[in-house]
Amino acid sequence: MTRSNCPCGLPAPYGNCCGRYHSGSATAPTAEALMRSRYTAFVRLDASYLLRTWHPRTRPAEPLDLDPGMRWTGLDIVESTGGSAFHSAGTVTFRASYRGGAIHERSRFERVDGAWVYLDGEFLD
């Protein structure tokens, strides 16, 4: 991945990829796109975007305390089910690597007022 590519792993510059979702100029069209943009928000320490894209039923009441020392190193999408423009729910199974380890999770997403939001997740390892 070159420096100009988005941290989410797609071969596009940040501004044309997840950056447009972070800025609010566009919304993620699929659950997988939202998952990728949320990973990028963790990389960029964008807690406000993470909260904005969290389901109102499961969103933490407290502000997020993101660790600036965390070094995310890559995202691999293992499987996506549902989550398209034709669905109201979907899942994305992914492995997010960081210096010293990885998180393997199956995340659930739902549409709220037409926009994809993160509902919850289950750790798999």
Side-chain angles (χ1 to χ4, degrees):
M1 180 168 68
T2 64
R3 182 173 282 285
S4 63
N5 282 356
C6 189
C8 79
L10 295 178
Y14 168 75
N16 294 336
C17 195
C18 294
R20 58 198 170 127
Y21 308 139
H22 293 175
S23 71
S25 65
T27 58
T30 65
E32 182 177 325
L34 182 65
M35 172 60 237
R36 289 180 179 279
S37 71
R38 287 177 57 84
Y39 169 82
T40 298
F42 276 103
V43 171
R44 298 177 62 88
L45 303 175
D46 188 346
S48 65
Y49 180 77
L50 292 168
L51 289 172
R52 198 166 67 244
T53 58
W54 212 308
H55 198 291
R57 270 195 339 258
T58 57
R59 182 184 303 133
E62 300 295 318
L64 295 181
D65 185 20
L66 302 179
D67 181 358
M70 183 70 131
R71 293 294 173 247
W72 296 99
T73 58
L75 176 67
D76 293 311
I77 302 298
V78 176
E79 179 184 30
S80 289
T81 61
S84 78
F86 303 105
H87 299 103
S88 59
T91 65
V92 179
T93 303
F94 67 93
R95 187 170 276 106
S97 302
Y98 57 90
R99 191 176 300 147
I103 295 170
H104 187 197
E105 180 178 315
R106 180 179 302 111
S107 294
R108 295 189 312 153
F109 298 88
E110 289 184 358
R111 282 188 190 266
V112 173
D113 297 329
W116 285 106
V117 291
Y118 169 77
L119 179 64
D120 59 21
E122 169 190 7
F123 291 112
L124 300 175
D125 287 344

